[in-house]
Amino acid sequence: MAFCSRNSRNIIIINLLKSKVGSSRLMKLSRVCCYGTCLNSTNHCRFLPSTTTLPQLGNPDPNSHKKGHSPCSQRFQSTKSGQQFASLPNGEHSQVLDFPGGNVVFSPEMQFLSESPNVYNPCYRVLDDNGQLISNSVFVQVSEEIAVKMYSNMATLQILDTIFYEAQRQGRISFYVTTIGEEAINIASAAALTSDDVVFPQYREPGVLLWRGFTLQEFANQCFGNKADNGKGRQMPAHYGSNKHNYFTISSTIATQIPHAVGAAYSLKMDKKDACAVTYFGDGGTSEGDFHAALNFAAVTESPVIFICRNNGWAISTPTSDQFRSDGIAVRGQAYGVRSIRVDGNDALAMYSAVHTAREMAVNEHRPILIEAVTYRVGHHSTSDDSTKYRSADEIEWWRMARDPVTRFRKWIETNGWWGSEAESQLRSSIRNQLLQAIQIAERAEKPPVKDLFRDVYNNIPSHLREQEKLVRETINKHPKDYPADVPVDVAVKDDGVSVYDVDVIVHDDDLIIHVR
């Protein structure tokens, strides 16, 4: 597994010195400034470096944090004025000045940085579209046990999405969002992490929870918002959360979880924990200010956080071509001083290797890592969306059939003799039956009482929330037919201002049934 240390500033320096440095000297300098250009093969796992210090370039020192500094913090080392200037070989006017913000190379020539690179960053890949290993691939070895579990979870995620999507279309749940086409990003990244790593998801990462042990019944309880739901029915369906699994509750607002992850990572670093924070988001999330603030925050504080961007081509109906003109997402990390890599998000083996390596860097070197997972959102954005209005059905079908990450990984484990058609049939039949049973149980389960809407935030409920609670109950009493008949209202009635009676108010047909406890 190789690493690249390319830097646009270094390439400009070479252009400036072409006329001033002999060919042999230039070759030596080129090896310094453009180390790793021989690694252009797309099946190498290469991380774009965070920062590079002149004139000694190459891979950042992985032990620099143990020496009391890092490539980032080196910029702030003070120097005496007499030592600020350094000349490049034979460069009469090419001097390096150590500004507080970093080394700056002066030049008498006026040159603007290009708006786009001449060579685009490669995409790390291990398996081809037919699930066969690409020759000379560099990847982290996966045992048979882990590989089979990865595939089983990817297939389970497919079935879960299909059944819950159908349940929403039948009117049994109000909303759903699928992960179709992005199963490898979910499961492979989860497999490369540890249970101590804290996850800040968007809303398309249920596979991470599945890998960590969240049961099918727990998924169903959340989608149906019953009393067994961790969130007590206060979240939209598919907005999961689990304290037990270090999985922070999903928020629909875009990109707000990204700076939260950096703060958590900084806390882990301060507490000297052997863990990192991981946050997921889509390409649309990178158009939010939270993304940019978070990357800068992580780079400056040198926090152990992994940013995983699912670049699936669409932010609802907005294509990436209408969002940015840069070479994808990975280059943005480099601009903020964050080591970055672009990965084939439909290649489970590549995703596992990249995240596994990124975690080692984040935890051992105290540094942020950005992973751009290139994929395609095969499903609609959500059940509220019809993606055929803005993209062709043929395009969707091609990605579903030709680039399906589940099928690709299945072919690889079958080649290894770890899987077969009998196991496939048994798995899919078993998971489908378990899910249908879980839905029946979740649908019949008791709903949380209305009072839970106003609990779990304040130890002593403030007056404004008590007033809101009173108004809700009054409205239900006035319009009982407009509220679900199976939701306990749970009224607290004050008698003489002192005694309090807990009362269950259940609306059944046209009758108001009150039980006093």
Side-chain angles (χ1 to χ4, degrees):
M1 187 173 296
F3 298 91
C4 173
S5 286
R6 293 172 56 192
N7 188 295
S8 58
R9 181 178 62 184
N10 305 334
I11 296 174
I12 292 175
I13 294 171
I14 291 177
N15 291 332
L16 294 177
L17 297 179
K18 279 183 179 179
S19 60
K20 301 180 181 180
V21 183
S23 59
S24 61
R25 296 287 296 279
L26 182 59
M27 288 299 294
K28 292 180 182 179
L29 187 59
S30 297
R31 285 196 292 270
V32 171
C33 295
C34 294
Y35 176 85
T37 52
C38 60
L39 302 178
N40 282 330
S41 175
T42 58
N43 61 333
H44 282 76
C45 184
R46 308 193 316 167
F47 285 81
L48 299 175
S50 53
T51 57
T52 315
T53 305
L54 291 174
Q56 184 178 356
L57 302 178
N59 290 333
D61 182 2
N63 297 314
S64 61
H65 69 287
K66 300 177 182 177
K67 303 173 185 177
H69 63 273
S70 73
C72 288
S73 61
Q74 288 176 2
R75 297 176 304 169
F76 304 105
Q77 293 178 352
S78 61
T79 57
K80 295 181 180 179
S81 58
Q83 299 174 334
Q84 283 184 335
F85 287 93
S87 296
L88 294 175
N90 296 333
E92 180 180 354
H93 300 288
S94 300
Q95 293 182 315
V96 179
L97 177 62
D98 184 12
F99 275 117
N103 290 332
V104 176
V105 179
F106 291 112
S107 168
E109 300 179 33
M110 182 186 297
Q111 290 200 8
F112 290 86
L113 295 177
S114 173
E115 70 281 1
S116 61
N118 294 325
V119 179
Y120 288 93
N121 291 317
C123 185
Y124 172 54
R125 197 185 207 195
V126 176
L127 299 177
D128 63 21
D129 289 338
N130 293 317
Q132 302 303 309
L133 281 174
I134 299 173
S135 59
N136 301 319
S137 295
V138 178
F139 64 96
V140 178
Q141 297 295 327
V142 181
S143 67
E144 177 181 352
E145 179 184 5
I146 295 298
V148 170
K149 183 182 178 183
M150 285 172 61
Y151 176 75
S152 298
N153 276 221
M154 290 168 69
T156 299
L157 194 55
Q158 268 190 338
I159 300 167
L160 183 143
D161 276 345
T162 300
I163 291 179
F164 278 131
Y165 187 87
E166 292 173 353
Q168 193 281 333
R169 287 301 188 235
Q170 294 168 5
R172 300 166 78 176
I173 57 177
S174 60
F175 176 86
Y176 193 71
V177 55
T178 68
T179 60
I180 301 172
E182 302 179 32
E183 296 90 349
I185 297 174
N186 270 244
I187 303 302
S189 63
L193 302 172
T194 72
S195 58
D196 292 330
D197 299 326
V198 293
V199 177
F200 292 80
Q202 193 177 14
Y203 41 63
R204 222 178 290 277
E205 292 83 28
V208 179
L209 259 184
L210 182 66
W211 179 270
R212 293 190 169 198
F214 205 68
T215 66
L216 299 181
Q217 188 62 63
E218 288 178 300
F219 280 111
N221 290 338
Q222 197 285 327
C223 286
F224 282 87
N226 60 36
K227 204 168 184 178
D229 169 31
N230 291 339
K232 299 183 180 181
R234 292 176 292 203
Q235 275 277 22
M236 293 173 62
H239 285 54
Y240 313 104
S242 176
N243 186 50
K244 179 174 66 175
H245 296 101
N246 278 331
Y247 189 96
F248 280 72
T249 302
I250 295 169
S251 172
S252 285
T253 48
I254 301 299
T256 55
Q257 75 279 7
I258 307 178
H260 298 165
V262 180
Y266 188 59
S267 176
L268 292 171
K269 174 184 175 181
M270 297 296 288
D271 292 339
K272 295 180 170 51
K273 300 289 186 180
D274 186 23
C276 66
V278 185
T279 183
Y280 297 81
F281 48 92
D283 48 273
T286 68
S287 298
E288 296 286 342
D290 302 72
F291 167 79
H292 298 273
L295 258 68
N296 191 55
F297 181 23
V300 172
T301 58
E302 298 171 348
S303 299
V305 56
I306 303 175
F307 302 98
I308 300 180
C309 174
R310 295 175 290 92
N311 186 354
N312 61 25
W314 296 91
I316 308 183
S317 60
T318 305
T320 54
S321 59
D322 288 346
Q323 293 184 62
F324 50 79
R325 288 291 184 270
S326 61
D327 177 20
I329 308 300
V331 293
R332 302 186 185 189
Q334 188 178 26
Y336 282 109
V338 175
R339 192 174 294 179
S340 309
I341 187 171
R342 176 181 287 164
V343 184
D344 181 352
N346 287 19
D347 181 350
L349 208 52
M351 276 301 302
Y352 176 86
S353 300
V355 176
H356 185 279
T357 305
R359 186 189 182 278
E360 289 185 344
M361 292 177 179
V363 174
N364 297 332
E365 302 177 29
H366 293 158
R367 69 167 67 251
I369 304 291
L370 171 62
I371 297 176
E372 176 188 2
V374 181
T375 183
Y376 188 83
R377 193 196 75 215
V378 173
H380 303 297
H381 173 74
S382 71
T383 50
S384 303
D385 173 48
D386 179 5
S387 62
T388 60
K389 299 295 184 182
Y390 50 84
R391 57 182 186 174
S392 70
D394 290 340
E395 174 184 312
I396 298 171
E397 188 62 20
W398 184 84
W399 276 92
R400 184 193 301 275
M401 301 302 296
R403 291 289 179 86
D404 177 39
V406 183
T407 301
R408 189 197 297 193
F409 194 63
R410 176 188 172 182
K411 289 178 179 179
W412 182 70
I413 60 174
E414 284 180 336
T415 300
N416 292 331
W418 298 342
W419 196 253
S421 57
E422 184 177 350
E424 178 77 11
S425 178
Q426 290 178 353
L427 171 69
R428 291 189 176 271
S429 176
S430 174
I431 295 302
R432 181 175 177 81
N433 291 335
Q434 290 179 52
L435 265 173
L436 292 176
Q437 183 180 10
I439 286 176
Q440 291 178 358
I441 294 173
E443 206 167 19
R444 293 194 302 263
E446 184 181 356
K447 299 296 184 182
V450 170
K451 72 174 185 181
D452 282 355
L453 284 172
F454 306 94
R455 303 300 189 271
D456 300 331
V457 175
Y458 298 95
N459 185 38
N460 296 313
I461 301 177
S463 59
H464 72 280
L465 283 185
R466 289 188 180 279
E467 181 64 23
Q468 290 179 30
E469 193 173 0
K470 177 184 175 183
L471 291 173
V472 167
R473 293 189 184 119
E474 290 176 353
T475 304
I476 292 175
N477 291 339
K478 290 179 181 178
H479 310 281
K481 291 183 179 180
D482 294 332
Y483 289 85
D486 57 349
V487 177
V489 183
D490 240 20
V491 183
V493 181
K494 285 194 174 182
D495 181 20
D496 70 18
V498 179
S499 302
V500 176
Y501 301 91
D502 287 330
V503 180
D504 284 341
V505 178
I506 300 178
V507 181
H508 182 67
D509 295 334
D510 293 332
D511 300 323
L512 196 63
I513 304 172
I514 301 178
H515 300 287
V516 181
R517 296 194 303 273

